[in-house]
Amino acid sequence: MSDVQTIREATYDLLRSLGLTTVFGNPGSTEQSFLQQFPDDFTYVLALQEASALAIADGFAQATGKPAVVNLHTAAGTGNAMGSLIAAYRANTPLIVTAGQQTREMLLCDPYLTNRDETLLPQPWVKWSYQPARAEDVPAAFMRAYAVAVQPPAGPVFLSIPLDDWYKPALGPAVVRTVSTGIEPDSARLRMFADRISAAQHPLLVLGPEVDRAGAWDAGVAFAERLGAPVRATALADRVSFPEDHPLYQGPLPMTIAGVNKVLDGHDLVVVVGAQVFRYYPYVAGDYLPAGTELIHITTNPELAAVAPVGDSLVGDVGSALRRLTEWVTAPADRVAPAPLQREHTREAPATAPLTANAVYEVLSMVKPADAAVVMESTSTMAELANWLPTTRTASFFATGSGGIGWGVPAAVGVALGDRARGVERTVVATIGDGSFQYSVQAIWTAAQHKLPIVFVVLRNGEYAILKSFALLEKTPGVPGLDLPGLDIASLATGFGCRTVNVDSTDALAREFTAALDADGPTVIVVPTQAQLPFLG
Ligand SMILES: Cc1ncc(C[n+]2csc(CCOP(=O)(O)OP(=O)(O)O)c2C)c(N)n1
Ligand SMILES: [Mg+2]
């Protein structure tokens, strides 16, 4: 046997050194040269479609707080994964996304399965996109991909690798490097921010997804309590960063320019940490800030610092910034705490299907374990979920960062796999709309194969309810394609190997959910629900 390493061996050694021993993917002929003789100390997580493979990896990386490797099938597989890639980019998830490519020898004549203009396809939803100029550069390209992916703001990167590269001799062992993943905020500017915060009469604190991602949940709470100021979450948050049952918590910001303006009115200073200024959805015109309101903004992401239409930004670690601000700011001892958020818990009598969304979440609030994670993709019932299932712990709420649906089902699978990898035992509760359930439905097969502790609660209202609300708001009557008749979701779920149940009452929902908690694997609970039109203001 020759003692010269192949590029394949050098790359696996590098991945091992970087702790990247789980590969999420869906294989094809252009990937088999990489996957051959798959090492025993690596795990391959098969997804039946690439949108699922990528979003499972996203959930895994979010749960473990570490990067993950995805292996896709040339152009077609990468194309299938694009929607999930956008969510990973928006959520700053460090992923090394790889795709096989046809043999270098043949590329010029455009053979079957060529990934033409391979580096263009995933753009602009990757931080870096590359096909090594020569086979010998493959291991170092992985090292560079890792360095780009994990440095703030973290995000996905893409490598295209011709299938014949793996067998060639490596130049030597791959060079293993380290890079920093933290950026200390500029002290002088942070001091200036601290002075402005101390001088404010009626500050409002907005804590966004970066705080939870940075592991800075406690730092956010400490800062809020030091300030004694009201706290808001951002609209459509992909992570929850502040206990939603905390007395200072006032709910999420609205989704429109005009709506946000109204909520900010009366605050002389808005302090936004770890969020975009702001996440808007429907267009309702207005001024970004009310007269007399100033805004300061701390984010890990220079892109978010640049796109903010108002305010003064500072780039750096949100955890570090929060901890230092907590030391530096002063707040008047007689500051009056805001009245705690009033939750209207309309309790319903035991009922038969179709249930209201309110009744569904009321039941879930009684049976969901306190430590369970929630993955949310039930677009018209966000308010009911927040009302009944407030997130009270770090790393416990996940939603799409992009607004694309089809992320939640596979992400729940990834979160559960990530929990298992980090030795955490908890249930993942995925509340999913009947429309959203269809986009990456294949991921439930992966959940069943791995016997993951997930309870999918599918709210079957038979429609794209949120789009009906949007049509009213935008005054666009007559939009076709908003109803979903004839979908037998339980049969689909059974077909993918999941425990499945249709429930016809609140009692049955409570009973079946409780049974699902003890099941050895995932359960899909289908709940017929009433059509309802959520408020989008
Ligand atoms: C990939 C993708 N395709 C289409 C949409 C547009 N879209 C937004 S919400 C929605 C309907 C979701 O329906 P459902 O999951 O049943 O939730 P409901 O509104 O009924 O609660 C659609 C199709 C999207 N966001 N992402
Ligand atoms: Mg629906």
Side-chain angles (χ1 to χ4, degrees):
M1 235 181 75
S2 143
D3 55 1
V4 178
Q5 272 196 317
T6 62
I7 283 165
R8 187 186 154 281
E9 288 162 344
T11 304
Y12 275 107
D13 278 352
L14 174 72
L15 294 176
R16 207 171 265 125
S17 304
L18 296 173
L20 299 171
T21 55
T22 305
V23 177
F24 300 85
N26 186 269
S29 52
T30 48
E31 292 72 46
Q32 282 176 312
S33 47
F34 165 60
L35 296 170
Q36 60 156 336
Q37 303 295 342
F38 195 68
D40 287 346
D41 59 329
F42 278 62
T43 305
Y44 185 82
V45 177
L46 174 63
L48 301 182
Q49 211 265 18
E50 292 84 353
S52 293
L54 201 137
I56 292 173
D58 185 346
F60 181 87
Q62 291 204 40
T64 57
K66 294 184 180 148
V69 176
V70 184
N71 187 233
L72 304 173
H73 180 50
T74 182
T78 307
N80 280 348
M82 279 306 296
S84 301
L85 184 66
I86 297 169
Y89 183 89
R90 291 288 193 194
N92 296 120
T93 306
L95 295 180
I96 301 176
V97 181
T98 62
Q101 168 69 296
Q102 256 290 6
T103 313
R104 283 182 196 268
E105 302 289 332
M106 280 203 294
L107 274 179
L108 186 61
C109 63
D110 197 16
Y112 204 54
L113 298 183
T114 299
N115 191 358
R116 191 188 288 179
D117 293 338
E118 63 292 314
T119 59
L120 288 184
L121 183 57
Q123 293 192 36
W125 304 109
V126 284
K127 292 177 69 186
W128 186 52
S129 184
Y130 190 64
Q131 179 172 290
R134 50 178 191 151
E136 290 77 3
D137 291 336
V138 168
F142 265 90
M143 188 62 242
R144 179 165 162 186
Y146 178 91
V148 176
V150 301
Q151 288 185 89
V157 297
F158 178 76
L159 283 182
S160 164
I161 306 152
L163 68 91
D164 51 326
D165 284 5
W166 299 108
Y167 306 109
K168 293 179 181 158
L171 296 174
V175 177
V176 183
R177 307 181 53 238
T178 60
V179 291
S180 67
T181 53
I183 295 180
E184 277 303 303
D186 168 3
S187 288
R189 191 164 172 84
L190 193 61
R191 282 246 174 233
M192 195 177 79
F193 278 15
D195 292 345
R196 285 174 70 181
I197 295 167
S198 300
Q201 295 296 310
H202 302 289
L204 172 73
L205 180 58
V206 177
L207 293 174
E210 289 173 37
V211 175
D212 193 43
R213 281 203 291 273
W217 175 282
D218 291 341
V221 173
F223 179 56
E225 289 175 354
R226 175 100 188 90
L227 217 53
V231 177
R232 290 260 178 184
T234 42
L236 299 164
D238 37 294
R239 297 276 291 254
V240 169
S241 292
F242 189 76
E244 291 178 333
D245 61 349
H246 193 285
L248 292 171
Y249 182 65
Q250 302 290 298
L253 287 175
M255 293 179 237
T256 65
I257 297 171
V260 172
N261 181 301
K262 220 165 138 191
V263 165
L264 303 188
D265 200 22
H267 293 287
D268 52 347
L269 184 68
V270 184
V271 183
V272 182
V273 184
Q276 181 171 6
V277 174
F278 287 105
R279 188 166 267 184
Y280 300 121
Y281 175 31
Y283 178 58
V284 180
D287 293 325
Y288 291 110
L289 292 177
T293 301
E294 294 184 359
L295 186 145
I296 60 182
H297 178 213
I298 300 170
T299 172
T300 346
N301 188 344
E303 204 171 273
L304 294 188
V307 299
V310 288
D312 302 312
S313 290
L314 166 59
V315 170
D317 279 349
V318 293
S320 172
L322 285 166
R323 280 186 287 273
R324 286 157 69 184
L325 285 175
T326 306
E327 274 176 35
W328 292 345
V329 297
T330 56
D334 59 351
R335 175 168 284 154
V336 181
L341 183 66
Q342 286 304 315
R343 286 197 161 82
E344 282 176 32
H345 281 162
T346 314
R347 296 197 176 273
E348 300 186 17
T352 50
L355 304 177
T356 61
N358 183 67
V360 172
Y361 288 106
E362 180 190 6
V363 171
L364 294 185
S365 75
M366 294 186 279
V367 290
K368 179 182 115 26
D371 68 343
V374 170
V375 178
M376 166 62 167
E377 202 169 282
S378 170
T379 49
S380 69
T381 68
M382 285 187 286
E384 287 82 1
L385 180 125
N387 197 28
W388 285 103
L389 302 179
T391 301
T392 58
R393 303 176 188 209
T394 185
S396 293
F397 177 89
F398 304 85
T400 173
S402 72
I405 53 181
W407 181 88
V409 171
V413 178
V415 169
L417 283 168
D419 281 348
R420 187 175 281 172
R422 68 190 175 117
V424 169
E425 272 184 40
R426 62 173 177 176
T427 301
V428 177
V429 179
T431 56
I432 311 286
D434 51 354
S436 299
F437 191 70
Q438 312 307 325
Y439 292 73
S440 306
V441 63
Q442 303 90 337
I444 64 174
W445 176 85
T446 306
Q449 291 296 311
H450 290 264
K451 296 190 189 310
L452 295 174
I454 307 175
V455 188
F456 294 98
V457 179
V458 182
L459 291 94
R460 188 169 68 71
N461 57 10
E463 61 177 6
Y464 292 151
I466 193 80
L467 298 185
K468 292 189 176 177
S469 287
F470 212 86
L472 287 178
L473 178 78
E474 302 283 313
K475 301 189 176 57
T476 53
V479 175
L482 301 184
D483 290 307
L484 301 172
L487 268 175
D488 184 348
I489 295 170
S491 293
L492 287 173
T494 303
F496 282 112
C498 288
R499 280 186 80 239
T500 304
V501 55
N502 281 302
V503 297
D504 57 5
S505 66
T506 42
D507 288 346
L509 174 58
R511 197 174 55 241
E512 292 297 343
F513 188 97
T514 307
L517 294 176
D518 291 329
D520 185 24
T523 302
V524 176
I525 301 179
V526 186
V527 195
T529 53
Q530 293 174 23
Q532 59 169 42
L533 296 176
F535 173 67
L536 285 172

